[in-house]
Amino acid sequence: MTRVVIIGAGPAGLAAAEHALKAGAEVTVVDGADAPGGQYHRRFYADPHGFAEVLSRCEWWPESTVWALEAPGAAQARDPGSAAQSPALRIHLLRGPADGTDRHRVTLEPDALILATGAHDRVLPFPGWQLPGVYTAGAAQTLAKGERVAVGKRVLVAGAGPFLLPVAESLLAVGADVLAVLEANPVSTVLKGWSGTVPRGKAAELARYAATLARHRVPYRFGHVVVEARGDDRVREVVTARVRADWSVVPGTERTHAVDAVCVGHGFVPQPELAVAAGCVLDDGFVRIDDDQRTTVEGVFAAGEITGIGGADAARAEGAVAGCVAAGGTPSRELLRTRDRTRAFAHRLKAAHPIGAAWPGWLRDDTIVCRCEETTYGRLKEAAADAVEPGPHALKLGTRAGLGPCQGRMCGPTVAELCGGAERHHRPIAQPIRLGELAAPEGDS
C-alpha cells in the first residue's frame, strides 16, 4: 500500500487526503494547528465538505511541526555539482504544542509527500505601519470570526484583492464601524480581470458582500490606498490618497481620517520553506508543478496557495488531483477540468488585483521595512547601492533585514522588490527546534 504524507490541513491538504484514500493509500495528515481547516476555516471550521470523516480514516497529527526535510535529489537541486543524494523521502517532525516542553521527535519515510502549506497575508509597508492598531486583514478577520472581537470601533479596511470584502463583512458583524473599503487598483483594471464567466458561488458571494456594504452604508473606493498611519502609543489617524494604475500617488488627493484601527492586506504570499528544503524549483516564489501537481523533486507534490494564489476552490481542486496521483491513481477528466477551471479563474483574479510597481513611492527613508529588526527603507537603499555588500545574502547580513524572528516570512518579498531581487536560501532547519529536542533520541524530549 502506498504511504502518503500530507503537510497542511487546509482546503488543499484535506482534499488531497480524501482523494488519496479513495485511491487506496495509507494517509498521514500533519499540521501545526490543533484543528483542521488551515487559514481558510481557522477556528470557525464548519466542516462543510465532511473532512472530519476523512480525517477519521487517516493518521491525523495536529500540533506537529516539520522542522527538516530530506528528499531524493535535493542536494543536486541546490548544488548541481554535489554527489550527495538522499536515498528516500525523510520528514523530521516535532509532535506536541509549539510552546510545550514535552515535544518529541519523529521521522516519517513515505512513498509520496504532498506539500499544502498555504500562504499568509502580504502587507506592503508604509510610514507608521508598525504602530499598534495596524492589523493584517487576516488577523482582523480571525479575531472577528473566531473570537467575536472587533479590532477597533472606527476601522478602515484597505489594500488590494477580494479578501478585503469578507474582512469588512466580519468586522461589521461584530459591531465595528467600517469607514470604507479601499481597493488600490482602478475600476478598469478590476473589471477587466473579473470579466468573463464568474463561478456561480463566487457571484453569490460578491452579491452578498455588496448588499452588506450597502446596508451599512460603507463606501467601496477604487484607486485609493493608505499611505501613512499616525499616532503616539497606537494608531490615531490614517492618511489616504488616490493613486494611478501603477499605484503612484496623485498629488493633492491626501485625506486624513480619525481611526482606532486599520486593516491592510495586499494579497497573499506563499509559504514555500518546506518546498525549498526539499529542493523544489520555484517560479516567482511559487512551487513549479506539472499537470499532475508533481514538483521538480521525485515523490514530492504540491497543491494550493504555494503553487499560485487562487482561493479555497482552486486549492481543493489541486489537492484532489495531487492526492489521487500521489496514491498511484489516475484523476478523472472531471477532476482535471475542475482544477483547470479554478486555475483559470485564479489567473483572472491575479490580473484584476495586481501590485502596482510604483508603491515604493509611498515610503520615506525612515519607514521601517523589516519590523523584526527595525530596518528602514533608507538603510536598505544604502546597502543595495554599496558595492561592498553585493547580492541578497550580503545585504541581509549587512542590514539584518529578514534575520529576525519571522526569518523574512513577512518582509522577504518586499525586501526583494526594493533591492532588485533576493534568493531563497535553503535552511537545513526549516522551523525552530530547541537544542535539547535536537539532541534527544527520537521518541524522547
Side-chain angles (χ1 to χ4, degrees), residues 117-200:
T117 48
H120 58 74
D121 296 75
R122 182 180 185 187
V123 178
L124 299 176
F126 51 87
W129 77 309
Q130 76 279 4
L131 286 170
V134 179
Y135 293 85
T136 66
Q141 192 193 41
T142 296
L143 286 170
K145 298 201 76 167
E147 307 294 340
R148 305 296 298 171
V149 171
V151 294
K153 293 181 179 179
R154 288 177 56 83
V155 185
L156 188 70
V157 179
F163 184 57
L164 302 179
L165 294 169
V167 172
E169 181 186 57
S170 299
L171 289 168
L172 291 167
V174 292
D177 177 13
V178 178
L179 303 185
V181 178
L182 307 183
E183 162 65 49
N185 289 290
V187 63
S188 58
T189 299
V190 175
L191 290 181
K192 184 178 180 181
W194 278 85
S195 63
T197 304
V198 177
R200 186 177 301 174

Side-chain angles (χ1 to χ4, degrees), residues 330-349:
T330 301
S332 67
R333 290 183 179 179
E334 180 58 31
L335 210 57
L336 293 172
R337 276 198 297 266
T338 300
R339 191 270 314 276
D340 294 343
R341 187 169 60 248
T342 57
R343 269 187 184 173
F345 181 66
H347 291 154
R348 282 161 45 204
L349 280 185

Side-chain angles (χ1 to χ4, degrees), residues 55-398:
L55 287 175
S56 71
R57 295 186 283 126
C58 301
E59 281 191 80
W60 163 228
W61 288 14
E63 296 186 305
S64 298
T65 302
V66 178
W67 62 271
L69 268 181
E70 299 174 67
Q76 289 92 328
R78 293 189 295 271
D79 178 8
S82 172
Q85 179 169 332
S86 303
L89 279 169
R90 212 173 264 125
I91 306 166
H92 301 279
L93 301 101
L94 284 167
R95 298 202 64 187
D99 57 353
T101 58
D102 59 348
R103 300 193 299 178
H104 59 279
R105 289 195 297 121
V106 180
T107 298
L108 297 176
E109 295 188 6
D111 300 301
L113 168 65
I114 300 174
L115 297 172
T117 48
H120 58 74
D121 296 75
R122 182 180 185 187
V123 178
L124 299 176
F126 51 87
W129 77 309
Q130 76 279 4
L131 286 170
V134 179
Y135 293 85
T136 66
Q141 192 193 41
T142 296
L143 286 170
K145 298 201 76 167
E147 307 294 340
R148 305 296 298 171
V149 171
V151 294
K153 293 181 179 179
R154 288 177 56 83
V155 185
L156 188 70
V157 179
F163 184 57
L164 302 179
L165 294 169
V167 172
E169 181 186 57
S170 299
L171 289 168
L172 291 167
V174 292
D177 177 13
V178 178
L179 303 185
V181 178
L182 307 183
E183 162 65 49
N185 289 290
V187 63
S188 58
T189 299
V190 175
L191 290 181
K192 184 178 180 181
W194 278 85
S195 63
T197 304
V198 177
R200 186 177 301 174
K202 294 298 180 185
E205 272 188 67
L206 282 175
R208 189 184 80 235
Y209 296 142
T212 299
L213 295 184
R215 187 167 64 251
H216 290 271
R217 298 183 178 179
V218 178
Y220 186 95
R221 298 193 178 112
F222 294 95
H224 283 76
V225 299
V226 171
V227 294
E228 184 177 2
R230 297 171 178 168
D232 39 22
D233 57 331
R234 60 172 294 111
V235 63
R236 302 294 180 183
E237 60 184 27
V238 294
V239 179
T240 66
R242 189 157 57 86
V243 292
R244 304 180 182 90
D246 65 354
W247 292 19
S248 57
V249 173
V250 177
T253 62
E254 295 86 353
R255 299 289 183 272
T256 301
H257 308 269
V259 298
D260 57 8
V262 57
C263 307
V264 188
H266 300 98
F268 298 88
V269 290
Q271 301 187 98
E273 290 80 14
L274 293 179
V276 172
C280 302
V281 173
L282 306 186
D283 292 324
D284 296 325
F286 295 99
V287 181
R288 182 188 297 176
I289 54 170
D290 65 12
D291 287 341
D292 288 331
Q293 304 295 136
R294 301 178 192 271
T295 71
T296 53
V297 175
E298 181 184 353
V300 180
F301 298 76
E305 309 285 50
I306 61 170
T307 71
I309 305 301
D313 291 342
R316 277 191 287 267
E318 287 198 351
V321 173
C324 179
V325 176
T330 301
S332 67
R333 290 183 179 179
E334 180 58 31
L335 210 57
L336 293 172
R337 276 198 297 266
T338 300
R339 191 270 314 276
D340 294 343
R341 187 169 60 248
T342 57
R343 269 187 184 173
F345 181 66
H347 291 154
R348 282 161 45 204
L349 280 185
K350 182 179 179 181
H353 304 277
I355 301 293
W359 69 264
W362 313 343
L363 307 181
R364 300 192 296 252
D365 281 352
D366 63 351
T367 302
I368 290 175
V369 175
C370 172
R371 292 188 290 190
C372 294
E373 296 293 326
E374 298 187 345
T375 306
T376 64
Y377 179 46
R379 178 69 188 98
L380 284 173
K381 286 196 300 182
E382 290 174 7
D386 189 348
V388 179
E389 294 179 332
H393 187 61
L395 185 140
K396 275 187 177 183
L397 293 176

